[in-house]
Amino acid sequence: MSETVPFDLEEQRARIERAQEETRKFVAEQHKLIAEQSKLAAEASKLARDRMLAPWQIALSGMAAGAAFFGAGAAFIKVLGP
């Protein structure tokens, strides 16, 4: 005849609790990774925006420097002028 294996309810409960704890850890890890991915995506977006605006920043800085030199030259001419 075949042997009957005793049904150990406590072992089953412990195994289920271990599985649930592993699942909770996995879900927490996934949430952490998703948050990190979101942070990295925001940083990448910021870098892309900065890269797009860099030529405009250089152009505006150059125009501001040109205006400053023009103003300084005009003031110098006015001081030396008649």
Side-chain angles (χ1 to χ4, degrees), residues 15-75:
R15 192 167 6 122
I16 290 171
E17 286 178 2
R18 279 194 306 271
Q20 286 178 339
E21 183 60 31
E22 287 178 17
T23 302
R24 278 191 222 93
K25 285 181 184 177
F26 179 76
V27 168
E29 178 85 16
Q30 291 300 312
H31 286 150
K32 187 174 94 174
L33 291 173
I34 289 170
E36 185 177 344
Q37 179 188 15
S38 176
K39 189 189 313 182
L40 290 174
E43 186 176 340
S45 175
K46 180 184 176 287
L47 289 174
R49 185 189 70 227
D50 289 347
R51 189 173 55 242
M52 183 181 72
L53 293 177
W56 287 103
Q57 186 178 12
I58 292 170
L60 291 175
S61 297
M63 287 193 293
F69 283 131
F70 182 77

